[in-house]
Amino acid sequence: MRIIKRYSSTIYGQYRSTGLKYGLWVGLAMSAFVFLAFMLLPDSIQPHAPENYYGDGVMLFGMILAAYRYRQNLPDHHVTLKEIMLLCLWIGVVASTIYGIYLWLHCSLDDHLCQRFADSWITKAATNAAEDTTNQGLTATQYTAGNWGFIGGFRSAVISIILNLFTALLMRTEKAPVRK
């Protein structure tokens, strides 16, 4: 009796090229959505940090749409959990990279945004000063545009793993058979 089951799965489509294509579109959509949120939304509901739920929502919607379109283009619409996870992994990596580059460029060109992020972090640190003693020597104003881009891109990449699993569980159509 085996303790660990071994599954065999078949890759039916070209998940790499599809993941790159949709990752590019999702990354651009995340950047555009956050840019429009800064331009059109009132100050009270604008994103005040490079990590925000606006980009996460756009990424989840993009992953589900890409997985659905990918599945519809396959013969017999069969797709396994592994294949969807690989597709969404590519989407998450590419989209997070593009989003991080967008934040870096935006903060480099618009010092107001960089200062807004810093003010948000200073306010958060002031409210938690009694509890948090680890970052006493570093203030948020010492962060550069590159730091904000890395923070936003890295956080989006980590969140994309969670969104990846959710999308794969939602969109799979075939279970892999157990090898004997």
Side-chain angles (χ1 to χ4, degrees), residues 38 46-52 99 103 107 112-130 132 134-156:
F38 280 116
Q46 282 184 358
H48 291 285
E51 67 271 358
N52 57 66
Y99 181 63
L103 282 175
C107 286
H112 175 68
L113 177 68
C114 206
Q115 188 59 42
R116 175 184 301 217
F117 288 163
D119 292 343
S120 172
W121 279 37
I122 289 170
T123 305
K124 189 187 301 182
T127 58
N128 297 331
D132 186 18
T134 58
N135 292 329
Q136 297 270 336
L138 184 66
T139 62
T141 55
Q142 293 172 330
Y143 284 92
T144 63
N147 295 121
W148 294 121
F150 178 76
I151 290 168
F154 183 75
R155 184 209 173 259
S156 292

Side-chain angles (χ1 to χ4, degrees), residues 59-156:
M59 184 182 289
L60 177 62
F61 178 76
M63 282 183 174
I64 291 173
L65 179 66
Y68 177 77
R69 296 284 311 253
Y70 179 76
R71 185 176 76 182
Q72 293 303 315
N73 291 332
L74 294 176
D76 298 328
H77 310 297
H78 290 292
V79 67
T80 60
L81 181 75
K82 174 184 171 183
E83 192 171 0
I84 292 291
M85 286 190 74
L86 290 171
L87 170 72
C88 291
L89 180 68
W90 277 102
I91 292 170
V93 168
V94 172
S96 297
T97 302
I98 290 172
Y99 181 63
I101 291 170
Y102 159 75
L103 282 175
W104 170 66
L105 287 173
H106 196 138
C107 286
S108 296
L109 299 175
D110 183 12
D111 193 47
H112 175 68
L113 177 68
C114 206
Q115 188 59 42
R116 175 184 301 217
F117 288 163
D119 292 343
S120 172
W121 279 37
I122 289 170
T123 305
K124 189 187 301 182
T127 58
N128 297 331
E131 301 154 5
D132 186 18
T133 59
T134 58
N135 292 329
Q136 297 270 336
L138 184 66
T139 62
T141 55
Q142 293 172 330
Y143 284 92
T144 63
N147 295 121
W148 294 121
F150 178 76
I151 290 168
F154 183 75
R155 184 209 173 259
S156 292

